[in-house]
């Protein structure tokens, strides 16, 4: 039995655009294989041999109407919602999410560094202000004069 080779949109590749992780997360009624860049799915009850003039065994013949496979093909064509479980994402989408998350982390690191620098400057200004207050309260004119010159 040759199985069923689902149609892929133009420019799509089984290696990049098929959600292989779904098979690890869900029990699907078919298994897959990719040979020479062509994805072939076979029903779990595939006989692997044909009778008389059959083009596919009965298990593989039902795959074009299988709701799970139709959903996969729809997501390959239209894309996966951003909030979908990662197992539903295509490889290309996972790579894009990885790079997007890296950019977000770099922005957060930069914001953290800028905030730390701003707090250091304000802490230094506050410490100089406290020194001036203590010097004025002590009544030592030389100390006040020295702090004002800084």
């Amino acid at each position: 039995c040759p199985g069923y080779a689902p149609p892929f949109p133009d420019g799509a590749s089984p290696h990049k655009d098929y959600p292989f992780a779904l098979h690890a997360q869900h029990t699907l009624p078919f298994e897959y294989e990719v040979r020479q860049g062509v994805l072939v799915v076979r029903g779990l009850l595939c006989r692997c041999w044909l009778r008389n003039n059959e083009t596919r065994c009965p298990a593989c013949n039902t795959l074009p109407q299988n709701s799970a496979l139709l959903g996969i093909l729809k997501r390959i064509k239209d894309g996966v919602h951003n909030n979908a479980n990662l197992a539903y994402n295509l490889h290309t989408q996972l790579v894009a999410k990885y790079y997007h998350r890296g950019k977000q982390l770099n922005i957060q690191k930069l914001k953290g560094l800028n905030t730390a620098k701003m707090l250091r400057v304000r802490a230094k200004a506050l410490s100089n202000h406290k020194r001036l207050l203590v010097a004025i309260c002590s009544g030592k004119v030389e100390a006040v004069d020295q702090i004002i010159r800084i």
Side-chain angles (χ1 to χ4, degrees), residues 131-145:
R131 285 178 51 210
L132 179 62
L133 261 156
V134 169
I136 291 172
C137 290
S138 70
K140 296 181 182 177
V141 177
E142 303 87 24
V144 174
D145 184 46

Side-chain angles (χ1 to χ4, degrees), residues 37-73:
V38 177
L39 175 80
V40 175
V41 292
R42 287 187 176 80
L44 293 179
L45 302 174
C46 179
R47 293 192 307 241
C48 297
W49 50 271
L50 301 174
R51 291 184 188 155
N52 300 334
N53 294 331
E54 290 180 326
T55 55
R56 287 191 288 260
C57 71
C60 294
N61 217 21
T62 61
L63 290 175
Q65 295 84 30
N66 182 280
S67 61
L69 186 58
L70 290 173
I72 289 171
L73 294 173

